[in-house]
Amino acid sequence: MRLDFNLPEDVEEVKQKARKFAIEEFNDKTASRHDLEELYPYELRKKAFEAGLVRIDNPWGVLLTMEEFCRVDPGLGLSILASVFGSELLLLYGTDEQRQKYMEPVLNGSKISAVAVTEPGAGSDVAGISSKLEKSDDGFLLDGQKMFITNGTITDFFYVLARTSPPPSKEKRHHGMSVAIVDRYWPGVSVNKLKGKLGMRATDTAEIKFEGVKVPNENIIGEIGKGFYYIMTFFNISRVYVAAQSVGIAQGALDELLNYVKNSGSNEESLQFILAESASKLEAARLLTYKAASLVFQFNPDPALTSMAKYFSAEVANSVTESALEYMGQKGLLSRLERLYRDSKITEIWEGTSEIEKLVIARTLIKRAMQGDQIA
Amino acid sequence: MQLLKQVVEEFSVKEIDPVALKIEREGVTQGILNSLAEKGFLGALAPVEYGGAGLDERGYLVLLEVLAKHSPSVGMYVLLQNSLFISPILRYGTKELAQEIVPGIASGKSSGTIANYLLSGGKISIEGSSLSGTSDLVPNSSAQMCLVLAKSGNDSQLVLVDGGFSIVSDSRKLGFRGLRYSTVSFEGAKAKSILLSGGGEREVQNLYNDSSSHVSAMALGMSEAALDMAVSYAKDRQAFDAHLIEFQPIAFSIARLVSEFNVYEKYLYGISSVKEGMMLKELVLEFSRRASRASLQVHGGYGYIEDSGVERFYRDTMALELLTGNRISDMSELSKELLGGESAKY
Ligand SMILES: Cc1cc2nc3c(=O)[nH]c(=O)nc-3n(C[C@H](O)[C@H](O)[C@H](O)COP(=O)(O)OP(=O)(O)OC[C@H]3O[C@@H](n4cnc5c(N)ncnc54)[C@H](O)[C@@H]3O)c2cc1C
């Protein structure tokens, strides 16, 4: 048997196209301005759609576009690619009508979506949310508050996780939640942009309030009460994209460092070691990410592997940007490394903190061990 | 020392805390500068006859640690005035020069900064008393006076410039956002006084080596603040029906960091040589980044937002290293100090 590490030609083509797009469009001036002023890049998003770079029907293409975009500028790259955030929920569990009405306009770039899970009082502990979808005569009434929602003020609708029934017991806290599609402009929905993020400042982040929002029955996704599992399945997909963000950020930092070494003609061994260590870590993170992605894209995800990719790559992104900046000194501070250093931190927080990924890894492995399985 | 700590702590709680986030957004205000001057902090290291507070080295470390804990930007401002401006003037300048310059700095009527191409890689040169060239990342760039390390032929001089330099553009700010950082042009500026007519590079490196303990005090102050915030947040925030502090990975990580902090802080106040300062700096710069990163992480999504007041330590601890030194040359200096002159060449 042969393990083939080459990308298929069509994916390689998308990768090159994404790289070219990023280099041409995400120049330092544009990236700095969107970072400094916390501006969402509407125009760039449009251009990327026109260039055919946002196509979730080609998941490898999106993964590599994520990597190439984040390699040049994570804030801009993510703003563009996250405009389809959550679409997999409908792809997997939606009805034809829901897909047609909500997902298709997002995939063709005319609309934007958002996923609203986190609340002021519950992030990692998803089952601890308190938003409620209460049964009414002709559907549901949604009440609750969501926090740190990406695309919150620019989205057309939210995929909202809320309780449709109280937890049956302490052990079964994750029962009784459902996912609803909620239009941004329905009465009772209000959004408030959160300013002053450490990094990823081109992305839009908001807190959302739902006050007595009427949600029709047909806007509930899948079965009532299964929301937690849908969201976890979704995270198992989205986490490989976060891993790809991290790989891209680490590659971007390495690019800067290599460039610096090349231009300064410096041949100090300490610098060479940092370069070697960073490149090795990056390569390991990339292989892990591609392996996890490969399983996800074959509809055979391994949650342990996905979480390993997400956690490990985030750590690599953080350590590579940190040492590149440290060793380049003030030259690094004046380069886009300064931005990469701030952007990288989010990869350890969103879509499951590194601590939560470690718990997923350990618990999956322990469960398998208890079932007498062997890990591949 | 305990008394001084209490005084600076009370001052910080009263004068700095209420405006700490505002300082980050709008800069160190004249109001803060006035109250720093009133307490003698701006001229902390200057003798009393020059309008300074005449603090000894340990007192100065206390001052920096406490200020940095409450506002890294304010701490940095005081460090800049004392360690990197007043100190070299007292050391290399004439008595007359010190008499002329230092009282103004101590009283907050004027302020100083330093342009050091060893850190920024800029090109400043001097011929006679005329300067030319620009320097990146000059801190507190709206200052009236600037110490400039300038190339003259194969040698280098340290000179004092009073006005005549101008800001070309402001730099992006990873940290210490309360201070202005800019690319500054010295084209046409005149040296008011030549402090060192040769060997400037070596002496400026010594100046930074000497301030290693000062930088360490800043790093420890920031670490303490970040860790205090982590502890109180972890005791307050709940997830999975427990307080965060109840989870072993969180408790173990904070407990270890708090232990490190205590060990390093004890060492700081026992420092009796430049070498010891350099050793501590090597450890605590990395430690302070680790501590602030851990604190940000404990705060989850909130930690990523400026309003939480945590993420600035993540930025400032990295900026502290980059703005007060250079990794490779600092490590080379330390190696030579500990292992001999032939070490760390390649
Ligand atoms: C810029 C940004 C964009 C975001 N976008 C979205 C979005 O689009 N949609 C959305 O729903 N959410 C979004 N989030 C929220 C993000 O997913 C949460 O911040 C994250 O899941 C952590 O939750 P929390 O902030 O409540 O932290 P908490 O859950 O309170 O955790 C705080 C700390 O405790 C740790 N911790 C918690 N439990 C344990 C345990 N059992 N053992 C060990 N450690 C533990 C965590 O790892 C973390 O370090 C976003 C956040 C940010 C900052």
Side-chain angles (χ1 to χ4, degrees):
Chain A
M1 183 217 144
R2 259 177 56 194
L3 277 181
D4 188 357
F5 290 100
N6 295 320
L7 296 171
E9 217 170 289
D10 59 318
V11 176
E12 185 62 45
E13 243 168 62
V14 178
K15 180 180 150 94
Q16 295 309 331
K17 204 167 145 187
R19 170 118 185 102
K20 190 161 170 277
F21 183 92
I23 289 175
E24 280 169 8
E25 303 290 345
F26 305 170
N27 60 52
D28 193 56
K29 200 170 156 215
T30 307
S32 291
R33 191 168 68 91
H34 283 82
D35 172 62
L36 195 68
E37 298 171 21
E38 303 181 74
L39 293 178
Y40 183 83
Y42 291 99
E43 284 303 312
L44 286 175
R45 169 176 166 269
K46 221 174 117 198
K47 273 194 190 168
F49 268 94
E50 282 163 8
L53 284 167
V54 195
R55 292 188 40 197
I56 67 164
D57 57 332
N58 178 4
W60 276 109
V62 175
L63 193 87
L64 289 156
T65 303
M66 181 67 90
E67 191 182 321
E68 291 303 332
F69 276 13
C70 289
R71 178 179 178 182
V72 181
D73 190 67
L76 294 174
L78 200 79
S79 297
I80 293 169
L81 291 172
S83 67
V84 299
F85 199 38
S87 297
E88 289 89 350
L89 284 166
L90 285 185
L91 214 54
L92 291 172
Y93 306 111
T95 62
D96 284 344
E97 292 74 42
Q98 288 171 339
R99 287 192 199 127
Q100 210 172 9
K101 183 168 173 195
Y102 289 103
M103 192 184 79
E104 279 173 19
V106 166
L107 297 192
N108 71 26
S110 53
K111 286 194 170 168
I112 295 178
S113 56
V115 176
V117 175
T118 307
E119 300 189 351
S124 303
D125 182 12
V126 171
I129 60 165
S130 55
S131 291
K132 279 195 188 73
L133 277 162
E134 243 166 310
K135 195 82 196 97
S136 66
D137 301 341
D138 49 354
F140 292 85
L141 279 181
L142 173 64
D143 281 280
Q145 208 177 330
K146 295 290 177 182
M147 191 66 181
F148 306 127
I149 305 308
T150 299
N151 300 337
T153 72
I154 58 167
T155 191
D156 292 280
F157 63 90
F158 301 95
Y159 298 106
V160 181
L161 184 72
R163 283 218 162 268
T164 33
S165 58
S169 67
K170 235 186 151 149
E171 292 70 41
K172 295 188 173 164
R173 297 168 75 231
H174 36 285
H175 291 211
M177 284 174 270
S178 305
V179 180
I181 311 170
V182 178
D183 277 37
R184 150 81 181 83
Y185 292 103
W186 280 349
V189 179
S190 52
V191 304
N192 175 34
K193 184 168 168 108
L194 291 170
K195 292 211 165 169
K197 291 199 293 290
L198 169 62
M200 292 286 185
R201 288 161 61 93
T203 66
D204 181 73
T205 314
E207 45 184 338
I208 321 291
K209 255 196 197 137
F210 301 111
E211 290 166 298
V213 180
K214 281 190 187 164
V215 180
N217 288 319
E218 66 263 24
N219 273 37
I220 299 290
I221 297 179
E223 281 178 54
I224 292 282
K226 293 235 165 123
F228 183 85
Y229 304 99
Y230 297 161
I231 291 292
M232 288 306 139
T233 307
F234 167 68
F235 279 152
N236 259 321
I237 301 170
S238 68
R239 278 171 187 165
V240 298
Y241 293 112
V242 181
Q245 283 162 29
S246 303
V247 172
I249 292 173
Q251 179 68 62
L254 188 66
D255 291 345
E256 282 297 316
L257 187 61
L258 252 177
N259 210 23
Y260 168 73
V261 175
K262 193 181 77 187
N263 292 336
S264 65
S266 157
N267 59 1
E268 282 142 314
E269 279 200 7
S270 61
L271 203 51
Q272 292 183 20
F273 273 37
I274 288 298
L275 200 64
E277 289 161 15
S278 300
S280 309
K281 288 184 204 169
L282 165 61
E283 205 50 39
R286 180 177 283 128
L287 283 176
L288 189 51
T289 299
Y290 289 3
K291 184 175 176 190
S294 164
L295 292 174
V296 170
F297 298 158
Q298 292 171 60
F299 302 103
N300 182 28
D302 175 347
L305 204 64
T306 304
S307 288
M308 286 180 203
K310 201 269 184 190
Y311 142 66
F312 183 75
S313 305
E315 177 131 327
V316 168
N318 279 269
S319 83
V320 172
T321 47
E322 181 179 5
S323 31
L325 189 50
E326 198 183 11
Y327 276 78
M328 277 174 61
Q330 297 201 350
K331 284 273 178 286
L333 211 47
L334 293 168
S335 78
R336 75 198 166 92
L337 256 183
E338 186 271 339
R339 207 162 46 238
L340 290 175
Y341 181 67
R342 287 185 284 108
D343 291 342
S344 68
K345 189 72 196 76
I346 194 62
T347 59
E348 297 188 312
I349 297 172
W350 62 17
E351 268 141 284
T353 62
S354 294
E355 291 75 17
I356 295 304
E357 305 304 342
K358 289 184 201 176
L359 290 175
V360 172
I361 298 164
R363 285 170 187 170
T364 310
L365 297 185
I366 294 165
K367 202 163 124 196
R368 275 182 206 153
M370 299 218 297
Q371 290 164 347
D373 276 6
Q374 282 271 277
I375 334 158
Chain B
M1 209 172 85
Q2 214 43 49
L3 185 69
L4 178 65
K5 189 164 190 162
Q6 207 178 321
V7 169
V8 186
E9 190 67 56
E10 276 167 18
F11 168 84
S12 304
V13 168
K14 189 162 155 269
E15 306 283 341
I16 297 178
D17 286 355
V19 288
L21 284 178
K22 196 173 159 208
I23 288 175
E24 289 297 296
R25 283 172 199 149
E26 294 160 33
V28 180
T29 59
Q30 192 57 47
I32 292 281
L33 291 183
N34 291 344
S35 26
L36 286 169
E38 206 173 287
K39 289 275 174 201
F41 298 158
L42 289 180
L45 281 184
V48 181
E49 66 261 33
Y50 295 150
L55 284 185
D56 62 7
E57 190 70 14
R58 286 171 94 194
Y60 181 52
L61 295 177
V62 168
L63 174 66
L64 288 176
E65 188 187 7
V66 177
L67 288 179
K69 184 176 153 191
H70 291 269
S71 168
S73 291
V74 171
M76 190 63 160
Y77 190 91
V78 169
L79 180 140
L80 190 58
Q81 298 313 307
N82 286 281
S83 312
L84 299 177
F85 193 78
I86 293 177
S87 272
I89 288 196
L90 292 176
R91 189 182 308 176
Y92 307 119
T94 59
K95 225 177 150 134
E96 291 71 37
L97 186 73
Q99 259 159 357
E100 183 190 336
I101 306 286
V102 178
I105 301 287
S107 67
K109 285 197 186 72
S110 86
S111 76
T113 183
I114 185 164
N116 172 9
Y117 64 71
L118 292 176
L119 294 181
S120 70
K123 289 188 189 72
I124 304 179
S125 46
I126 186 162
E127 258 194 71
S129 67
S130 296
L131 288 142
S132 62
T134 61
S135 180
D136 289 324
L137 287 170
V138 175
N140 186 34
S141 49
S142 0
Q144 287 84 357
M145 280 174 284
C146 187
L147 285 173
V148 183
L149 176 64
K151 288 201 169 113
S152 77
N154 293 328
D155 208 348
S156 53
Q157 301 188 348
L158 182 67
V159 302
L160 176 69
V161 179
D162 187 357
F165 51 96
S166 57
I167 291 173
V168 179
S169 61
D170 283 328
S171 316
R172 46 178 139 215
K173 288 193 238 175
L174 175 65
F176 303 109
R177 292 189 175 155
L179 298 192
R180 188 169 184 192
Y181 284 89
S182 318
T183 298
V184 169
S185 164
F186 292 91
E187 218 56 57
K190 289 258 178 295
K192 174 187 173 69
S193 160
I194 294 180
L195 300 183
L196 291 164
S197 55
E201 282 190 12
R202 183 62 251 163
E203 287 301 321
V204 166
Q205 183 62 51
N206 287 344
L207 183 66
Y208 280 79
N209 290 351
D210 291 355
S211 55
S212 295
S213 57
H214 312 160
V215 173
S216 301
M218 291 270 303
L220 286 173
M222 295 192 244
S223 308
E224 187 179 11
L227 290 174
D228 283 352
M229 290 176 86
V231 172
S232 63
Y233 193 78
K235 285 185 174 171
D236 185 53
R237 177 80 172 174
Q238 295 197 4
F240 305 99
D241 291 327
H243 288 102
L244 296 180
I245 204 82
E246 293 177 70
F247 297 114
Q248 280 189 358
I250 293 184
F252 287 7
S253 142
I254 300 180
R256 190 187 154 93
L257 291 164
V258 170
S259 309
E260 283 184 77
F261 172 78
N262 280 288
V263 171
Y264 292 144
E265 194 190 38
K266 213 164 197 165
Y267 189 88
L268 175 73
Y269 290 107
I271 284 180
S272 60
S273 67
V274 174
K275 180 170 92 179
E276 287 175 359
M278 290 163 72
M279 294 196 296
L280 185 64
K281 178 173 135 174
E282 163 57 14
L283 297 179
V284 295
L285 282 174
E286 183 271 337
F287 163 70
S288 66
R289 285 206 304 276
R290 208 154 25 86
S292 59
R293 177 173 160 190
S295 181
L296 195 164
Q297 186 68 15
V298 165
H299 285 77
Y302 291 95
Y304 207 68
I305 311 280
E306 282 169 14
D307 281 342
S308 69
V310 181
E311 58 82 47
R312 70 185 154 131
F313 293 113
Y314 181 77
R315 292 183 286 100
D316 288 343
T317 50
M318 176 53 105
L320 181 66
E321 166 155 357
L322 302 181
L323 295 168
T324 62
N326 171 285
R327 174 88 196 136
I328 294 179
S329 50
D330 287 356
M331 272 315 278
S332 302
E333 290 286 310
L334 180 61
S335 303
K336 290 189 168 69
E337 186 73 41
L338 297 176
L339 313 170
E342 79 280 12
S343 65
K345 269 191 232 151
Y346 307 115

